[in-house]
Amino acid sequence: MSNEGVDRSKRRFLTLASTVVGGIGVGFAAVPFISSMEPSAKAQAIGAPVEADFSKLEPGQRMTVQWRGKPVWIVRRSKETLETLPTLDARLRDPYSEVPQQPEYATNEWRSTKPEYLVLVGICTHLGCSPSYRPELAPEDLGPDWKGGFFCPCHGSRFDMAGRVYQGVPAPTNLVVPPYAYLTDTRILIGVNQGAA
């Protein structure tokens, strides 16, 4: 074949146009495959932060919300409950929360940013059972020294009203405090660290 009469500029234009159209076609064909690798909406919702309004919570009451498939408790503690916390230190395994089971801003005697409100993951650190909320003082089944807290009936682990574990029980560590941030005085966002909301 001879190259006489070949318009090179047309040839370059057609080659360039074919390349661009082919590249766009490959891009459109790749979009479904790439988007199929992203987590589903359900998977994203499971790990997403959860907002909770606890404006109706009275002292001594607890409410439960779900976050990442786990129960998260919000407890409103009374002034009397807060006053008893330091009296239990000698009977607790980790009274000063030295094992990192909570964000840094909750490493204090209340294990919370606001002493009145406690936020905990409601799962025992022994085998993953869900402890019972037992706020009453000295019930018959828990003994005269019980000052209120959380009791795991499966294996007998006990936690005080700050989620701190007692000595001599199967649970090795305090209950977990999830990351959370206050949106208002009565609304929090669970799953986001304080200052990041």
Side-chain angles (χ1 to χ4, degrees):
M1 273 184 110
S2 79
N3 286 335
E4 288 179 27
V6 173
D7 186 352
R8 292 189 186 274
S9 63
K10 259 188 192 172
R11 182 176 280 178
R12 274 189 235 125
F13 172 76
L14 288 173
T15 303
L16 180 63
S18 298
T19 304
V20 169
V21 170
I24 291 171
V26 168
F28 277 115
V31 166
F33 294 109
I34 293 170
S35 60
S36 72
M37 293 181 214
E38 293 178 11
S40 67
K42 185 177 179 182
Q44 289 174 340
I46 289 173
V50 174
E51 191 174 317
D53 180 351
F54 52 91
S55 57
K56 295 183 176 153
L57 210 55
E58 296 293 326
Q61 288 184 328
R62 175 193 71 167
M63 67 178 281
T64 305
V65 295
Q66 291 291 317
W67 173 67
R68 293 186 174 178
K70 300 174 187 173
V72 173
W73 299 330
I74 302 170
V75 179
R76 184 170 179 190
R77 298 179 283 202
S78 67
K79 183 181 176 194
E80 296 78 23
T81 298
L82 293 171
E83 289 170 354
T84 64
L85 290 178
T87 67
L88 300 171
D89 289 357
R91 299 189 353 222
L92 302 172
R93 183 173 288 160
D94 184 13
Y96 307 110
S97 300
E98 293 171 2
V99 176
Q101 293 292 95
Q102 64 281 319
E104 193 173 313
Y105 49 83
T107 305
N108 52 46
E109 65 182 297
W110 312 288
R111 299 187 75 224
S112 63
T113 55
K114 292 184 179 184
E116 186 178 1
Y117 295 103
L118 174 66
V119 182
L120 293 172
V121 174
I123 296 179
C124 181
T125 55
H126 177 225
L127 292 177
C129 306
S130 188
S132 303
Y133 178 49
R134 300 291 303 270
E136 66 275 12
L137 299 178
E140 228 177 271
D141 61 332
L142 295 175
D145 294 333
W146 182 255
K147 306 285 187 204
F150 307 93
F151 174 70
C152 188
C154 302
H155 302 99
S157 292
R158 297 172 182 223
F159 305 88
D160 75 349
M161 287 296 283
R164 301 176 300 175
V165 67
Y166 280 82
Q167 295 176 15
V169 299
T173 57
N174 296 338
L175 293 175
V176 173
V177 176
Y180 66 94
Y182 279 89
L183 301 174
T184 68
D185 285 341
T186 58
R187 284 177 43 237
I188 62 170
L189 190 60
I190 299 165
V192 173
N193 277 308
Q194 191 71 35

